[in-house]
Amino acid sequence: MFHDTASVLFGVEGLQVTDAEPGPDGMLEVWAVTGHPAAAACPDCGTVSVRPHEQVLTRPRDVARGLDAVEVWWVKWRWKCCSGDCERKTFTEWVPQVPPRCRMTQRLRDKAAAEIAGRGITPAEAARGNGMSWPSAHDAFAAAAGPLLEQPLGPVVHLGIDEHRRGRPRFAVDEDSGEYVLLADRWHTCFFDLSGEQGLLGQVEGRTADDAACWMWQAGPAWRDYVQVVAIDMCSIYASAVRRMLPRATLVVDLFHVVQLAVKMTGDVRRRVVRGKYGRRGRSGDAEYGIKGLLVRNLEHLRPGQFAKIMDTLGQDAGGQEILAAWIGKEKLRDVLNLRARVTGSTPCERDVRGRLARFYDWCAQNDDIPELLTLARTISRWEDEIVAAVLTGVTNARSESLNRIAKLEARLAYSFRNPANQRRRVRMACTRGTRRSHSATARRSRLVTGRKHDPG
Ligand SMILES: [Zn+2]
């Protein structure tokens, strides 16, 4: 390494800066010569040559200096190989930052890769910003991401499983029947670390029970034994995969989806009643239409006047009573979920949870003329153990949903992916970004001057 100021500032190991001058458009021209012990070693046989052949001038692309581009003019030797057995006749010098046949510095590649991995920009944008081609930026990113993503999984206590669509479904018209036929409906099943900091653990193509089970199988028996709770949406496919591969783990369903189901049921009843009463869909001016926004709110968030408005509006006829019964059913189900520790501040007991569930079922049975309420009660009873476990453990799939949003954002930025492997790599790097940042962030410390001191005199 050279110790003259210009070479230290330039910072490419093995290159000595001989001249630097500002070029047109703020471009900086840097002239350099080689001074690396391995530079004259033949890339084939490794023999260090002592027979110069000719001088050549190359211009490897390099990182910018601030806002200005830097043009490197590297004057280097072409050597003749001294080994008699070597097939190579001549070769040019190389340094670790610019290996043989490379036309850009490694630090430029690293910069593009770090921008894609850390800032969430696309390879196309990184390529534009760094003056390289899309394949170069993409290859740099893939090479940097590979070792990070191949690290073995750390233990996970709470596992989340969710799915996301990996592209638009494709249809074609069947020539015989004239009907649309689904050609491809591509999904990824994703696995998340809900309790730790590992973010997105992995993805598999497809969303069958076998796809999910296969991923859990390859994670290894020790990893599987560590998982205590698995959170899923109300999806029987993933439930069967979890029961098969993680028989000892507690299965919980995400409570957001339970509430969503109850809110949808209230809306379904309201729409059916309104259609029966007016013979058309609801519109502004209808009494029921005026309270539709209030019906989806939580009871505890209603002001007294709003509560009275609901009661007044729905107490007037039999249809209104039906909507009211559905709304009360929704709130009775929410009573069950409100026992979780995050709401009450104390650990819930299973008997209380099951007691409130029984009251919800009881209400549904009293109003068995409302088909939507009965359907909801049936669905809830099918997932009863998982709902009770979710209330008791307080584990939710919220982090899976938030990371899924990042996964969808990556696909949007890329204007959708053609290559599933590229998509998995990009999404996984994006969904583990927070983890890497928390580990790599080092405190910036001031340092005592121990080396050469600045001496203006
Ligand atoms: Zn050789």
Side-chain angles (χ1 to χ4, degrees), residues 41-47 80-83 85-89 91:
C42 170
D44 282 358
C45 64
T47 315
K80 291 176 183 163
C81 185
C82 295
S83 167
D85 309 331
C86 187
E87 298 228 326
R88 182 179 286 276
K89 296 285 171 263
F91 61 92

Side-chain angles (χ1 to χ4, degrees), residues 165 167-172 181-187:
R165 205 178 221 140
R168 271 180 299 177
R170 290 176 198 278
F171 297 90
V181 189
L182 186 66
L183 285 183
D185 191 16
R186 297 162 301 175
W187 293 78

